[in-house]
Amino acid sequence: MPVEPNSSAPASYSVSPVTLLDASGKDPFDSLPVTCTREDFILMDCWTNRLTYWSGEPRLIKDQVFRAVLNHPLPFQSIVLAYCSRWRAHAYGLKWNPEVEQHVGRATKGLEQVMKGGMKIDTDSLAMALTGMAIQEERFGSKQQARGYVDQAVQILRSRSGSNRVAEALLHYVQFMLMPLHPAVPEDGQQWLVTFLRGAEELMLEHSSDAYLSSVPQRRSTFQMDSPLFPLLSSGPRPSHVPLQSRIYIITKTAPTQELTRTAALIYITAALWDFQGSPSKTGRFLDHLRAIVKNHELDRFPACESFVWLLLLEGYEADLQEPERSWSTSELLKLYKQLQPELQFLFSEILFSLLMLTPPIRGIDVFERELYSSMPEVQEEP
């Protein structure tokens, strides 16, 4: 458990570490979009060096988001200062304190100014600010408000093309983390889940043929047990690489971030392979890209589904493989997945992974469909 700031416990257990950066209380390179106090530098240190997942510190995500929010004061206020102040208060067992009130108040006031036309801001920065408010409300405040912020960010980024890749990836990533208010899948959603699995099965049968494997030989091996992707996409177990003394910095100990991002990755990869169905060349290059990003970021040695799905969302491959709509549809399908009962969530993910391994699942799609239709309570539409 974290200790109070005035405790005599060892400094390594404090959630307010004093580093050279925050001790200086200055921005030596004048790179920050706002003037920061010493306390603000402590919050920045939490973001850049401390906050982690059970799977490990998502440094890639944090660094890219941090660089992106330096473009404007509002997303910096929302994502770094307000979020970290709320996390820090939560770590001490507090819901609200003067620091939270100050930083959340500034972010909220800034958004109000934007809506009234009193603050100039580019659309990507505004979307990131709204997304930052969404994830902190989801974890530390009102889940209903979280959805309101996400809906506004979606409207902004959906209405334009050529959005900043990080801004859009952050929105999708946060959408992956939002848990449903009503755990029931609407009827058309049930049909979509089953149809998606049927499509994945059809793809598996095509990819299993000798003719196909002769043209895309890496399709046979990419998802097998000796592949670098296997530790990421298999169901576990997933021991933590976070040192014991640093586990107070785990962002959330309750939300299943690993399983959510694992399933998002399975959906995304399956959708991509479907998109490339008519092109062995595209399929091969996509599979090579998956192996490359896993090896380059050492995700085979330190599996972190959160970082892996972030890399997928960035679409860092050739232009002819990119399809922004794939991330949007992944988010929508994952929303339905999250409304399933836990047993069906597990079955859905296991079926997808078995099909990627070119192995018929032990409990197949017919079982999933039957249990899905027999298990659904009365449906309430997700707002």
Side-chain angles (χ1 to χ4, degrees):
M1 290 293 292
V3 297
E4 293 294 333
N6 294 329
S7 169
S8 59
S12 60
Y13 285 86
S14 171
V15 295
S16 303
V18 177
T19 67
L20 290 176
L21 175 64
D22 63 57
S24 70
K26 297 179 181 179
D27 177 13
F29 303 107
D30 195 27
S31 59
L32 300 175
V34 298
T35 301
C36 292
T37 66
R38 180 183 181 279
E39 288 298 311
D40 295 340
F41 278 98
I42 292 175
L43 296 176
M44 278 191 289
D45 183 65
C46 284
W47 178 272
T48 56
N49 298 312
R50 310 289 168 174
L51 296 184
T52 185
Y53 286 119
W54 176 259
S55 59
E57 186 181 358
R59 183 162 291 279
L60 174 71
I61 302 174
K62 294 196 299 179
D63 287 353
Q64 291 187 334
V65 171
F66 189 84
R67 287 196 296 269
V69 301
L70 293 179
N71 291 327
H72 193 280
L74 189 53
F76 182 83
Q77 182 71 48
S78 167
I79 292 176
V80 177
L81 299 181
Y83 179 88
C84 289
S85 68
R86 293 183 84 166
W87 172 83
R88 195 168 171 227
H90 179 77
Y92 285 127
L94 304 173
K95 188 172 183 179
W96 209 254
N97 65 13
E99 184 179 60
V100 172
E101 184 173 2
Q102 177 191 58
H103 288 300
V104 174
R106 286 176 180 172
T108 304
K109 184 177 180 181
L111 288 171
E112 291 172 352
Q113 285 182 292
V114 170
M115 301 309 172
K116 294 176 181 177
M119 179 189 294
K120 291 184 178 180
I121 187 171
D122 61 280
T123 53
D124 288 332
S125 292
L126 177 56
M128 285 192 291
L130 290 164
T131 304
M133 295 302 292
I135 190 60
Q136 59 183 274
E137 287 296 336
E138 170 72 12
R139 289 178 174 161
F140 312 120
S142 164
K143 294 183 182 297
Q144 191 72 52
Q145 286 188 37
R147 277 140 192 82
Y149 285 124
V150 159
D151 289 345
Q152 292 180 71
V154 168
Q155 290 175 12
I156 291 169
L157 294 184
R158 263 304 206 181
S159 64
R160 55 165 294 186
S161 59
S163 298
N164 178 291
R165 190 73 74 180
V166 172
E168 197 164 303
L170 180 63
L171 173 58
H172 293 309
Y173 187 82
V174 167
Q175 285 182 298
F176 293 168
M177 300 300 173
L178 300 187
M179 300 306 291
L181 298 177
H182 305 297
V185 184
E187 185 175 350
D188 58 344
Q190 296 174 28
Q191 294 172 355
W192 189 13
L193 288 167
V194 174
T195 299
F196 188 79
L197 291 179
R198 296 288 183 198
E201 182 180 47
E202 179 183 329
L203 201 61
M204 183 270 289
L205 294 173
E206 177 188 339
H207 287 186
S208 299
S209 69
D210 291 339
Y212 191 89
L213 291 172
S214 66
S215 60
V216 191
Q218 61 268 56
R219 180 64 185 90
R220 187 193 303 274
S221 60
T222 297
F223 303 101
Q224 300 303 318
M225 289 187 66
D226 57 351
S227 161
L229 276 82
F230 187 86
L232 283 165
L233 298 177
S234 62
S235 57
R238 303 184 184 279
S240 179
H241 296 286
V242 179
L244 285 175
Q245 68 271 22
S246 298
R247 291 188 181 180
I248 57 169
Y249 298 110
I250 292 177
I251 296 169
T252 172
K253 298 178 176 66
T254 55
T257 58
Q258 291 186 82
E259 196 56 34
L260 289 174
T261 50
R262 170 191 174 238
T263 304
L266 290 170
I267 293 171
Y268 184 97
I269 291 169
T270 301
L273 293 174
W274 183 268
D275 290 343
F276 307 144
Q277 194 171 13
S279 174
S281 170
K282 289 183 178 180
T283 299
R285 284 185 287 133
F286 176 70
L287 295 176
D288 290 343
H289 174 79
L290 295 183
R291 295 178 71 101
I293 60 174
V294 169
K295 296 293 286 185
N296 291 344
H297 295 277
E298 297 188 309
L299 296 177
D300 53 333
R301 296 180 57 210
F302 307 104
C305 298
E306 298 92 347
S307 296
F308 180 56
V309 84
W310 176 262
L311 289 165
L312 293 178
L313 292 171
L314 291 177
E315 290 198 305
Y317 30 69
E318 295 96 331
D320 65 330
L321 302 182
Q322 296 174 7
E323 175 48 75
E325 193 61 33
R326 197 179 299 134
S327 298
W328 291 101
S329 61
T330 296
S331 181
E332 288 302 311
L333 195 58
L334 189 72
K335 184 188 297 184
L336 298 173
Y337 159 87
K338 289 182 287 189
Q339 293 175 297
L340 294 171
Q341 295 181 5
E343 298 82 1
L344 283 173
Q345 289 182 355
F346 179 79
L347 181 56
F348 180 85
S349 299
E350 289 303 290
I351 290 173
L352 278 184
F353 189 46
S354 293
L355 296 174
L356 286 177
M357 294 181 71
L358 303 181
T359 304
I362 297 174
R363 300 181 70 224
I365 301 171
D366 289 341
V367 174
F368 175 84
E369 184 175 19
R370 183 170 60 252
E371 294 187 4
L372 172 65
Y373 291 135
S374 66
S375 66
M376 283 294 106
E378 183 178 348
V379 173
Q380 299 182 55
E381 292 289 342
E382 185 79 3

